[in-house]
Amino acid sequence: MKTKLKQNYGLNISANKLLKIMREHKLLACIRRRKTKMVCHLTKENLIAPNVLNRNFTSDKPGDKYATDITYIPIPNSMVYVSVILDLFNREVVVYKISQNLDATLSTDVVKSLSKIRPLAGALLHSDQGVHYTNKSYQGLLKENGVTVSMSRKGNCWDNAIVENFFSHLKCECVRVRKRSLRSFLDVVDVVEEYIAYYNYERTQKRLHDLSPIGFRQQTA
């Protein structure tokens, strides 16, 4: 908020002053909630890879290190699943898939999409040890593309903190705010695609020198 006020309106304001103004006008900030564990019914094949990334979430160039994960968004009587791949160079959501089915294509289709727009040979792709990433089809696809497989340690969400953080912002800033309007799969598709565009092109980040992911990549290209 402070960054946006400065960039868009030329206003320099302290955090305490901003908080006071928000209280006076009864404005509330969204607070992120704890992540709920997702239940999946695929068969786990236990093809576990080492934690090559080892929480080194920085990268000197685009396309060198990626991280991926899947989350869910509830709608009446159903769930919608969102699978993403982020570039650790600038935290950009490079590709994503939104689906009504929690099947193996959630992990493989995003890799196929990424391979169509970027060369993958020599890149590293990090995930957790979920069944979507320990199966033969996923790991075989990465091997075909020359990708190094990296996985978080069992039960350690901090090993994939960048994607976890993105999903937390997605749910706090978008899903919870528009929860009552999310009645169908297409409703979720609309708001998630809108948020990803906002996140990539407009949402500034301190670690990116108060630039958006796309803005940071363009400035450093």
Side-chain angles (χ1 to χ4, degrees):
M1 178 65 78
K2 288 174 57 181
T3 301
K4 281 297 182 182
L5 287 173
K6 183 177 181 180
Q7 290 180 342
N8 295 350
Y9 305 102
L11 298 175
N12 286 306
I13 186 170
S14 68
N16 289 336
K17 180 65 174 178
L18 181 58
L19 179 60
K20 182 179 179 181
I21 293 174
M22 291 178 67
R23 285 175 174 171
E24 288 176 352
H25 293 274
K26 297 181 180 180
L27 298 175
L28 298 176
C30 295
I31 300 175
R32 288 183 282 172
R33 295 175 176 175
R34 290 179 178 270
K35 181 181 177 181
T36 304
K37 188 174 180 62
M38 183 171 58
V39 178
C40 183
H41 302 291
L42 295 178
T43 301
K44 192 166 185 176
E45 298 180 70
N46 291 318
L47 300 177
I48 307 300
N51 184 17
V52 181
L53 185 64
N54 197 28
R55 298 193 188 180
N56 182 6
F57 300 125
T58 60
S59 177
D60 295 329
K61 59 181 180 179
D64 188 40
K65 297 178 184 177
Y66 296 99
T68 186
D69 202 356
I70 298 166
T71 193
Y72 66 91
I73 297 172
I75 57 175
N77 303 315
S78 186
M79 290 284 184
V80 178
Y81 304 96
V82 182
S83 175
V84 300
I85 296 181
L86 273 69
D87 190 331
L88 295 184
F89 171 72
N90 62 336
R91 276 61 168 175
E92 173 188 352
V93 180
V94 186
V95 292
Y96 61 91
K97 178 178 180 178
I98 308 169
S99 175
Q100 292 177 287
N101 302 309
L102 188 58
D103 56 25
T105 63
L106 275 169
S107 58
T108 56
D109 281 359
V110 286
V111 175
K112 291 176 182 178
S113 296
L114 184 61
S115 69
K116 293 177 181 178
I117 60 175
R118 292 188 176 186
L120 294 183
L124 179 147
L125 179 54
H126 184 81
S127 70
D128 59 25
Q129 292 187 21
V131 293
H132 284 86
Y133 308 111
T134 59
N135 65 81
K136 291 180 181 179
S137 59
Y138 172 79
Q139 295 204 19
L141 180 61
L142 295 192
K143 185 176 181 180
E144 289 174 11
N145 284 276
V147 176
T148 298
V149 184
S150 175
M151 290 186 180
S152 303
R153 292 164 294 177
K154 188 174 182 179
N156 198 323
C157 64
W158 294 107
D159 287 347
N160 201 14
I162 301 303
V163 186
E164 297 278 358
N165 188 57
F166 167 74
F167 282 147
S168 179
H169 284 299
L170 168 67
K171 292 186 175 182
C172 177
E173 300 171 8
C174 176
V175 175
R176 284 178 55 197
V177 173
R178 304 174 69 170
K179 183 177 180 180
R180 293 184 179 180
S181 65
L182 300 180
R183 311 300 298 175
S184 69
F185 171 70
L186 292 180
D187 290 338
V188 175
V189 171
D190 287 342
V191 299
V192 170
E193 289 185 341
E194 179 183 330
Y195 183 80
I196 289 177
Y198 160 74
Y199 174 88
N200 279 341
Y201 286 92
E202 298 182 42
R203 194 182 189 283
T204 60
Q205 300 183 34
K206 285 291 183 182
R207 64 175 66 90
L208 301 179
H209 310 299
D210 289 332
L211 295 170
S212 68
I214 298 294
F216 181 80
R217 176 162 58 83
Q218 291 174 340
Q219 187 176 91
T220 55

